[in-house]
Structures are given as structure tokens and as C-alpha cells.
Amino acid sequence: SPAMELSPSHFPAARAAAVALGYLRYLRGGPGRGLELRELRRARRQDIDDVGHKYYLELELEDVLDKDRTVNCTAEVLYPLGSKSSAPDVQVALQGELRSTEEADKEFYDHIRSLEKELVAENIPDSHGKVPPELEPIHLLAWVASGYVIWQNSTENTKFHLAQVKHVKQVKRSDEDLQFDYVILLHEMVSQ
Amino acid sequence: HQVLRVVPQSDEELQKVQELQDLEHLQLDFWLAPRGLGLPIDIRVPFPSLQAVKVHLEAAGVSYSIMIEDVQALLDEEQTEMLRSSRQLALNTNTFNYEAYHTIDEIYNFIDLLVAENPNLVSKLEIGRSTEDRPLYVLKFSTGGTNRPAIWIDTGIHSREWVTQASGVWFAKKIVDDHANNEGVASILETMDIFLEIVTNPDGFAYTQTKNRLWRKTRSKHLFCVGVDPNRNWDAGFGEAGASANPCSETYHGPYANSEPEVKAIVDFVKSHGNIKAFISIHSYSQLLLYPYGYTETPAPDQEELHEISTKAVEALTSLYGTKYKYGSIITTIYRASGGSIDWAYNQGIKYSFTFELRDTGRYGFLLPAKQIVPTAEETWLALKVILEHARDNPY
């Protein structure tokens, strides 16, 4: 059946956009890049027999570390029929370049490597919404991880957000990679 | 240092203690000096002198008790308590810090200050008690009359939505200031009263401060789990789709409608008042202005008018800082939700029933940075005024 126009102001479209954002954060996010949805510009839904519901989205994204500009993006989010245990299938196409994070990433990497003890932190942001500046990259890294979790666990009827990083612990490694274990709190949007 | 207490039972005992007073090198500090038989003598004894004093008393068979085992610890505790209570001591509502999140005690103190400073405009009503027996306070703003048509505003029904209680505090002060300067809502107060409940779920709020910042529900006890979603507990589509029957769920509707004293108190108040013309419940987050219904797809009979009001209210809100809001009925804009407060209010005949979802859209969510409290309250106030003015100009 043909695709139906949805109101981008209403949650059915916003739920699909949240999945696309989670996927994008997983793909392109990092300690030096935090992707946010500036605006959902357009949304359509198509019910495909025996397959599932497919959402066509036009998104305007921003990097919270580079708020003066935005990047447009199209996304397709397919929620498979029936199977609740299958993650939605997401395809995205960015129309333009995101600001390079090479320098920021290197700074983060060098900083963590220079620490005498493995990093440990909790409650990011704290109860009052504060994130200490030195923990902001760790915070944005959590967006990457939570982006993956949100993408993998979303259905057409859920809208997940990262509520808080409860705990993060750097894991000691013998090689030169950095590893962090996070405990994150996800909020499923039932608040009203 | 320890504080010892001696209660002399005989002249000999009294004399033995008085002997101690003469031993200057012991550096004793008598908090209660010897006065007579049967009257307590309290002595602060520095650590180096402890043994000597105890030996002196014990040798003479004078019994004593240790009143305070460790004076330093007590001093440390008192300092901490003072630091904590110096936070609470806003001496008036002009020195109160609106740009920070506050504890229940600080907010209840603010309420009392506001009433004390404006006795002819503001009064405090206790409309009930919470499950854990905390008072449920409503501020009444009135310039007189008898049972005037009135506006109801509640904040903090979901305890983790901290920007709402904080905004409620700001609204209270704003109403008072507007009245004093004869601007803004001063004209509304000429013919209408305003009722504002700032901490609508005090048990939950206390819990977010001490145990779990992200607690949403009340704290009533049920099988296996605690708390009822106070915005699924109202008698409007109660128990239908859009709420959960599972006590452990965040949207547990409760054993029956109005089971929660926090909800029942408002229901009783609104019904007995009988002249509420607008009912506004404030939540966060998502940046939305919503009107009934949530429990049914049937449009509210006044949908067109409510939509028009929403358009103007959101326009006013956005004009201040550019904050973008969406609006519409609950069920079409967000999702099906049953047992909600504004659906109940609307079905009671309160036409102008709205819900706000304040900042932000998810970046900080419930953990909105404190520096956004005042801008959020300021922009929301502009939208509230549109609703209030419409209610005033369109009596029914």
C-alpha cells in the first residue's frame, strides 16, 4: 500500500525518529560528537504486507558541540511484523558532512591514557542536570552506546531516551584500546 | 572531650566535686555548676584530664555518668547541620534562589514566607495528607469576593519532573509581583482566584531527593511494589487501555480511582469548590501543550476552541526564547493514557483543561540543568497567561 503522510508533530512519527537517531548515534557518535534531533521535517508510513511498517523520515540533525549548523538526513525505519525480538531495520543517508572529530577524539584518548587510575564516575548528569566538563566526552560516549541499545530494543510503540549514566567504569586492558563499562538508565516515554 | 554528669547525694559528694573546681590545671569547664544536693553538675573534661577526674570521683565513691562521649563529633555534626540549614534559611522571597532546585522543606518555607509577606493576597490551604502523612499544600491567590471563578494549577505530580516544582515556585512569586505592580495577571485577579499546588506528590519528591532521583509515582504500598502513577489514578477511563494493572509498572493505575490521597485531595477540593474554570497540570519533559482526551479517540466537544487557545499559547511561549512546542490532544499527539487528571477535570465540566510538558526534548530530560529553570518558567508563564486570559474573557 502507498505511503501515508504523518504529522511530524505527533509521537508515532517521533518514535520512528528516535530509533533513527539512536542508530545514527551508534554509527557516527563519539566522545567528540553528540548528535541531537533539531527537527523532524517530514514523516510518512507505509504498511508492507507480510513485512511490516516502514517509516520514511526527513530529519534535521545537530551536533551539540557545533550547534551553529545542522545537517539534513533521510532515514528509513522498518519495524518487522510480529517478531517483537527483532530490531527495526534502519537505513540512513546524511546530506552533508559532519564536523571532524579527529582532534577531539585524540584529545580524549590521550587524556584517558594519561590517567593514573582507571576512570570511574557516576550519575551523569547529576540530580541537578550538571555534567562536569571533563566528563562530557564520557557522557557523549554513553550516547553512542545507548543509541545502539535503543535501536536494538525499540518497537513501533516505544520511545526511548537516555535518562542518566548511572555508573561508568574504565576496564583495564593490556592493549592500547580503551574500554568502558556503562550502566545506563533508559526512559521509555510514558510520562504525561 | 567528654561531658560527665554528677548528681551529688550527700554533702561529702558535693564537696568532692567542688574540690575539682579548684584544680585549675585540669582545665575543667562546668556547664552546670554545683548548686546543691540532688541537682546535676555537668563537667566538660578535656581528654588529658579524664583519667584524673574519674579516679578522683571513683575513689570517693561518687557515681557519675557520661553525658556526651565525644564533644568533637557533636560539634562536627552541628556544623554540617548548620551548613545544611543555612541553605534553607531564605529570609524572604526576594533572596530566595529561583535558579536552583530546592528540597521540600525549602519549598514549604518559601510558601510560608510568601504568605507572611502578602497576607492580603496569598493564603495556604492544607487539602489533605499524603500516604506518608506529608501535608498537601495549595496556595490561594485572591483579592477577595466569595468563591470566585478560579484557575487550578498543579506542578510536581510526577516527582522526578523537578523543573515543574521549581517553575511552580517561580509562578507563585510572579503572581505576587504582578499584583504588586498592577500588571500581568493583576487584572485576572480582579475577578478570579488562582489555586496553585506546587508539591503535588511530596512523598515521591522526598524520595527523589534521598533515594532515587528518577522516581515518578506516589509511595503507597502494594503487592511486591511501591507506588501508583498519580496521573493514571483519576476517574476518567480509569483502568482502561493506557495504564497498567501491574503494581510494579511506572503507569500502575492503582487499585481503584482516587485510591491515592494525593489525587483524592484534589478531587475533593475541586468538587467542593464548584467554580473552577480552568485546570492545568504541569509535567516534563517533551515541550508539548496538550488537551483532552487521552483515554479515548473521541474528540473533546470543545476541541476546536482548545486547539485555538493552544495555538496562541504556544506562540506566546515561543516568542520569548524560541523554544519550540507541539500541541494537540493527548491521544493524537503522544499516546493513549487513561485515568489522567485533565480528562477527569474536563469531564467535570472544566472546559479549559490543559497539560504542559516543559523543557527539554530529551537531551537532559528529567535532569534539566538548574540554569534552565527560570527561562523555562518565564516562557511557560506567557502561555499560562494566554489560557488564564481566555478563561477570564470567556466565562461559562
Side-chain angles (χ1 to χ4, degrees):
Chain A
S1 48
M4 212 176 65
E5 204 73 33
L6 296 176
S7 167
S9 312
H10 293 176
F11 265 30
R15 286 193 273 268
V19 175
L21 181 66
Y23 180 75
L24 276 158
R25 284 179 170 182
Y26 165 63
L27 267 196
R28 303 298 306 269
R33 180 185 293 140
L35 292 174
E36 255 306 350
L37 182 64
R38 173 76 71 89
E39 184 91 36
L40 175 62
R41 296 225 163 269
R42 191 179 176 204
R44 287 170 302 150
R45 192 185 97 204
Q46 183 185 32
D47 296 347
I48 307 173
D49 287 340
D50 301 324
V51 178
H53 296 164
K54 193 172 199 184
Y55 288 73
Y56 297 86
L57 309 169
E58 290 173 25
L59 312 159
E60 195 184 341
L61 303 171
E62 71 181 23
D63 178 353
V64 297
L65 299 179
D66 184 27
K67 284 172 92 117
D68 289 337
R69 58 192 199 90
T70 60
V71 172
N72 290 332
C73 172
T74 57
E76 286 172 18
V77 178
L78 170 62
Y79 298 101
L81 251 184
S83 154
K84 284 282 158 78
S85 59
S86 190
D89 186 75
V90 186
Q91 309 289 325
V92 292
L94 284 167
Q95 269 115 53
E97 291 295 310
L98 294 170
R99 179 174 140 277
S100 165
T101 62
E102 219 180 288
E103 216 181 286
D105 289 346
K106 182 163 191 328
E107 225 178 275
F108 172 71
Y109 181 83
D110 290 342
H111 171 70
I112 300 291
R113 292 278 288 178
S114 77
L115 297 175
E116 279 183 16
K117 278 194 353 179
E118 282 73 39
L119 181 141
V120 173
E122 55 182 23
N123 294 334
I124 308 168
D126 70 10
S127 286
H128 298 230
K130 277 212 297 277
V131 179
E134 67 272 15
L135 286 181
E136 186 63 13
I138 288 283
H139 185 211
L140 295 181
L141 205 52
W143 286 20
V144 177
S146 64
Y148 178 83
V149 175
I150 289 171
W151 160 44
Q152 289 290 304
N153 289 279
S154 290
T155 72
E156 218 169 342
N157 298 312
T158 61
K159 189 169 185 284
F160 284 106
H161 289 259
L162 173 64
Q164 191 182 39
V165 176
K166 200 67 197 136
H167 189 81
V168 57
K169 187 182 66 168
Q170 182 184 1
V171 178
K172 202 176 163 94
R173 287 180 72 97
S174 52
D175 60 18
E176 292 183 338
D177 290 352
L178 300 183
Q179 181 180 342
F180 301 92
D181 279 356
Y182 283 90
V183 175
I184 57 174
L185 297 177
L186 293 180
H187 169 228
E188 204 288 293
M189 182 68 71
V190 287
S191 129
Q192 182 265 329
Chain B
H1 299 211
Q2 289 189 352
V3 176
L4 307 181
R5 167 165 286 187
V6 179
V7 186
Q9 302 300 321
S10 69
D11 285 332
E12 286 80 20
E13 291 194 358
L14 189 55
Q15 202 191 10
K16 272 292 160 187
V17 178
Q18 281 165 333
E19 279 167 18
L20 285 172
Q21 280 184 298
D22 297 332
L23 300 172
E24 269 181 41
H25 67 280
L26 291 176
Q27 306 240 302
L28 301 182
D29 175 15
F30 281 77
W31 284 10
L32 277 177
R35 291 167 291 155
L37 294 183
L39 295 174
I41 304 167
D42 289 346
I43 317 164
R44 180 177 64 80
V45 184
F47 184 71
S49 308
L50 262 178
Q51 201 183 30
V53 170
K54 288 180 178 175
V55 163
H56 181 93
L57 293 173
E58 283 162 21
V62 181
S63 56
Y64 62 90
S65 55
I66 301 173
M67 285 261 303
I68 300 174
E69 279 220 46
D70 186 348
V71 177
Q72 187 56 54
L74 216 61
L75 286 175
D76 290 344
E77 215 178 276
E78 197 183 66
Q79 250 229 339
T80 325
E81 195 41 51
M82 262 181 58
L83 281 174
R84 229 181 312 140
S85 57
S86 72
R87 255 185 64 99
Q88 295 171 3
L89 290 176
L91 294 173
N92 61 66
T93 62
N94 289 321
T95 58
F96 185 89
N97 184 3
Y98 296 91
E99 294 176 2
Y101 291 111
H102 290 275
T103 63
I104 294 194
D105 289 341
E106 289 166 0
I107 295 178
Y108 282 7
N109 179 58
F110 163 85
I111 285 173
D112 287 340
L113 288 174
L114 196 71
V115 170
E117 292 165 17
N118 304 276
N120 295 325
L121 178 66
V122 193
S123 53
K124 176 176 94 172
L125 314 170
E126 187 176 312
I127 62 169
R129 314 280 294 193
S130 69
T131 290
E132 290 174 350
D133 204 36
R134 290 186 174 82
L136 302 168
Y137 289 136
V138 171
L139 282 171
K140 175 182 181 182
F141 301 86
S142 177
T143 59
T146 314
N147 198 235
R148 280 182 177 168
I151 321 268
W152 167 273
I153 303 171
D154 61 78
T155 56
I157 197 169
H158 286 143
S159 38
R160 61 188 176 195
E161 298 164 11
W162 279 18
V163 71
T164 70
Q165 298 96 333
S167 294
V169 167
W170 189 93
F171 297 154
K173 178 64 170 163
K174 182 64 173 158
I175 295 169
V176 159
D177 284 351
D178 272 10
H179 178 258
N181 300 322
N182 200 23
E183 59 186 16
V185 296
S187 60
I188 290 173
L189 287 168
E190 279 168 19
T191 53
M192 299 182 85
D193 293 343
I194 301 175
F195 292 100
L196 172 63
E197 186 174 8
I198 298 174
V199 188
T200 304
N201 177 6
D203 295 349
F205 192 47
Y207 201 72
T208 61
Q209 311 241 321
T210 55
K211 289 271 179 349
N212 179 353
R213 172 62 179 82
L214 295 176
W215 187 259
R216 161 189 172 88
K217 300 189 287 182
T218 62
R219 294 291 302 167
S220 53
K221 295 207 184 351
H222 304 277
L223 199 60
F224 303 130
C225 286
V226 174
V228 164
D229 185 341
N231 208 28
R232 298 291 186 280
N233 189 239
W234 301 71
D235 198 1
F238 177 82
E240 293 170 16
S244 174
N246 180 351
C248 300
S249 165
E250 292 280 60
T251 54
Y252 175 47
H253 49 56
Y256 50 88
N258 306 326
S259 63
E260 301 314 282
E262 297 82 356
V263 170
K264 180 144 199 325
I266 302 175
V267 169
D268 290 347
F269 176 80
V270 167
K271 279 172 127 158
S272 73
H273 184 279
N275 208 14
I276 307 284
K277 296 301 178 187
F279 186 99
I280 302 159
S281 283
I282 305 200
H283 292 256
S284 77
Y285 58 94
S286 282
Q287 294 173 201
L288 302 167
L289 176 52
L290 305 166
Y291 50 80
Y293 286 112
Y295 73 92
T296 171
E297 277 175 6
T298 306
D302 302 288
Q303 162 143 310
E304 221 179 283
E305 185 184 357
L306 296 177
H307 198 83
E308 237 178 78
I309 298 170
S310 301
T311 310
K312 290 216 294 280
V314 163
E315 211 180 289
L317 187 153
T318 306
S319 73
L320 195 56
Y321 296 113
T323 306
K324 296 210 195 90
Y325 261 60
K326 313 223 194 306
Y327 53 96
S329 72
I330 296 165
I331 197 166
T332 57
T333 310
I334 47 174
Y335 42 72
R336 186 180 288 263
S338 63
S341 66
I342 70 165
D343 285 358
W344 172 83
Y346 185 77
N347 285 348
Q348 290 294 300
I350 301 173
K351 186 167 34 151
Y352 303 122
S353 291
F354 293 92
T355 271
F356 279 82
E357 291 274 3
L358 303 186
R359 291 195 195 179
D360 60 11
T361 54
R363 175 158 178 202
Y364 290 95
F366 300 120
L367 309 179
L368 194 71
K371 63 176 189 271
Q372 290 198 43
I373 294 172
V374 171
T376 300
E378 287 174 333
E379 66 193 11
T380 307
W381 187 243
L382 298 182
L384 281 172
K385 274 204 294 192
V386 167
I387 299 171
L388 266 50
E389 281 159 15
H390 188 97
R392 175 200 61 198
D393 299 339
N394 296 273
Y396 60 91

